[in-house]
Amino acid sequence: MKTERRYDIDALRVFAFSLLILYHVAMFYVEDWGWHVKSSYEAGWLQFPMLLVNQWRMSLLFIISGLAVSFVWQRYTPGRFALRRLYRLLLPLLFGMAFIVSPQCYYEALGKGLIEPGYGRFMLQYLTFQDFPGDAWGGEEMIVWTWNHLWYLAYVLFYSLLLIPVAILLDGPLQRVRSGFLALRGIFIFAVPVAILMFYGAFIYPKFPGMTGAFVDDWYAHAMYGTFFLIGYLIGRDEGFWRELERMRWVTAICALVFFALFMTRDLLLPEDSFAFADRVRSLIIYSNRWLWIIAILGWGHRLLNRPRRWLSYATGAVYPWYILHQTVIIVIGVHLAGYSLGPVIEPALVLGGTIGTCYVLYEFAIRRSRILGPLVGVSVGR
């Protein structure tokens, strides 16, 4: 097993979070898709590229999170690993919910006409856990705090803590399970994960449909994302598995394009009740599309990105704080620009450029240089 730094995983992490920022900028503009706030310049054409990525973008992030854990797991005792994950994830989550997500809640509730203007008054009510109308931003009867885009931190923390006993078993009594998965080659790298995902679709999704981000009743999401997190942990340090992903990269990329075309036309090709197993065929298309894109990206990333780059170290340190900040920055800039009627080209360009510039300035000149603020917004404090 290789122990040197895996630059491809660092680069894929930057890619995945950068894609997430672009996706959330697009959510402000995409037509017919609900979000916290929306621009008046909605565009239907955005749905196509967003459909291309939204089947696998979060799953890829959870695999990358599992990959990252695989490289640090053996450095710590289980107890110290748990404490570090709590510090690294829970602290930014709580701070983010209190002070970073709150402007999103304010502008969403203000846009719905459920509160009066005045951010200071809103924060006083928000930070003292007073109730707001249920549809202000959560859709529940009465709500206080929310995590919005920071739900990912809560889920990764949950999976990290669950991984502790699982990893101990995989290093001991269940070592054959780990070895069996890592021994997969060729078609089996595709077929085994897709079969697992189809099982979730058949038996968990009907009882817990969708991925809500609400945590307590989000069991389909937990099955899906928890499995991807575990796969990332399993494959992280196995050189043979990565060589196989690299070898398969052309086949998986071509098949990913084919299955995306099938995904986009599945309802036309397979109308309801067209034959006895139509639902299973649709499920096969959906999960094959998802998994093929992931293994194609991992294979191509390992081929092209596993080398040091001057910008990569800085970007790797910045990507987590940027993730925590970006959606609030998008919403604040977007809401304030909306009043100027700048048009469907200038406004999105300014929202995207303003988001990048604001995240850079906040990270470089405030967060990165502060021993107090840095850990609250995800800056690593060492190994």
Side-chain angles (χ1 to χ4, degrees):
M1 293 184 181
K2 289 187 176 182
T3 57
E4 67 265 19
R5 189 165 190 91
R6 286 285 303 277
Y7 298 104
D8 57 326
I9 294 173
D10 288 340
L12 286 172
R13 184 168 180 258
V14 173
F15 162 76
F17 279 107
S18 299
L19 182 63
L20 181 66
I21 293 174
L22 286 172
Y23 189 90
H24 285 155
V25 170
M27 282 298 297
F28 189 48
Y29 293 99
V30 64
E31 189 175 62
D32 296 330
W33 291 18
W35 203 48
H36 308 287
V37 295
K38 298 292 288 188
S39 172
S40 59
Y41 303 113
E42 295 188 25
W45 66 267
L46 282 170
Q47 292 183 12
F48 182 83
M50 294 175 73
L51 283 169
L52 174 65
V53 302
N54 74 359
Q55 284 294 301
W56 49 263
R57 61 184 182 87
M58 290 307 303
S59 299
L60 177 64
L61 272 176
F62 281 102
I63 282 189
I64 291 171
S65 298
L67 288 169
V69 169
S70 74
F71 287 98
V72 301
W73 166 250
Q74 294 182 335
R75 297 179 188 171
Y76 308 111
T77 64
R80 183 160 178 78
F81 173 80
L83 288 174
R84 288 185 64 85
R85 296 306 280 174
L86 286 166
Y87 180 78
R88 183 85 165 120
L89 296 168
L90 184 59
L91 185 62
L93 175 62
L94 294 176
F95 179 80
M97 290 171 67
F99 298 104
I100 295 175
V101 168
S102 49
Q104 301 179 38
C105 301
Y106 170 72
Y107 284 111
E108 183 173 354
L110 187 65
K112 293 176 178 176
L114 297 175
I115 61 172
E116 296 295 324
Y119 184 67
R121 181 169 59 250
F122 167 83
M123 282 300 292
L124 179 63
Q125 186 175 346
Y126 183 84
L127 292 176
T128 53
F129 301 101
Q130 298 180 46
D131 290 328
F132 290 85
D135 58 348
W137 59 78
E140 302 171 5
E141 291 185 2
M142 299 297 286
I143 55 174
V144 283
W145 283 18
T146 184
W147 48 42
N148 280 7
H149 69 293
L150 300 183
W151 65 269
Y152 164 79
L153 301 184
Y155 283 48
V156 170
L157 176 59
F158 178 50
Y159 305 151
S160 297
L161 298 179
L162 282 181
L163 180 66
I164 294 173
V166 174
I168 292 172
L169 291 173
L170 289 171
D171 289 339
L174 298 183
Q175 193 169 23
R176 289 186 178 181
V177 175
R178 177 203 291 268
S179 300
F181 187 85
L182 294 176
L184 296 176
R185 294 294 183 267
I187 188 65
F188 294 103
I189 285 181
F190 162 78
V192 172
V194 169
I196 295 171
L197 299 180
M198 289 185 66
F199 176 85
Y200 297 156
F203 295 101
I204 301 178
Y205 184 84
K207 297 180 180 179
F208 302 95
M211 297 181 179
T212 66
F215 192 84
V216 293
D217 60 351
D218 206 13
W219 292 109
Y220 173 68
H222 288 316
M224 187 75 56
Y225 293 143
T227 297
F228 284 124
F229 182 84
L230 179 60
I231 288 173
Y233 171 77
L234 288 173
I235 70 175
R237 290 174 286 123
D238 189 81
E239 182 179 350
F241 198 94
W242 284 93
R243 281 201 305 266
E244 184 68 358
L245 290 178
E246 182 178 334
R247 185 189 70 81
M248 296 169 58
R249 67 191 186 280
W250 279 108
V251 173
T252 53
I254 293 169
C255 289
L257 291 170
V258 170
F259 271 91
F260 176 66
L262 293 173
F263 172 79
M264 293 296 290
T265 57
R266 66 192 186 281
D267 292 333
L268 179 63
L269 297 173
L270 300 166
E272 291 290 338
D273 302 322
S274 55
F275 58 92
F277 299 102
D279 287 343
R280 294 293 172 263
V281 176
R282 278 194 292 270
S283 179
L284 175 63
I285 291 171
I286 290 169
Y287 296 122
S288 297
N289 175 66
R290 183 170 303 169
W291 181 239
L292 282 164
W293 279 102
I294 290 171
I295 58 178
I297 290 169
L298 295 179
W300 278 102
H302 190 57
R303 175 69 175 185
L304 300 176
L305 302 176
N306 196 18
R307 58 181 64 92
R309 288 171 169 81
R310 286 166 47 178
W311 55 267
L312 187 56
S313 177
Y314 182 88
T316 301
V319 68
Y320 186 20
W322 278 48
Y323 154 72
I324 291 172
L325 295 170
H326 81 276
Q327 185 163 293
T328 293
V329 175
I330 291 168
I331 288 174
V332 172
I333 292 176
V335 167
H336 283 86
L337 287 178
Y340 293 96
S341 300
L342 297 172
V345 175
I346 295 177
E347 183 188 289
L350 289 177
V351 170
L352 178 59
T355 299
I356 294 171
T358 302
C359 288
Y360 172 78
V361 169
L362 290 175
Y363 171 71
E364 178 62 27
F365 298 105
I367 295 167
R368 189 182 180 210
R369 302 168 190 267
S370 172
R371 294 184 178 180
I372 296 175
L373 189 58
L376 294 175
V377 195
V379 173
S380 177
V381 291
R383 300 178 184 273

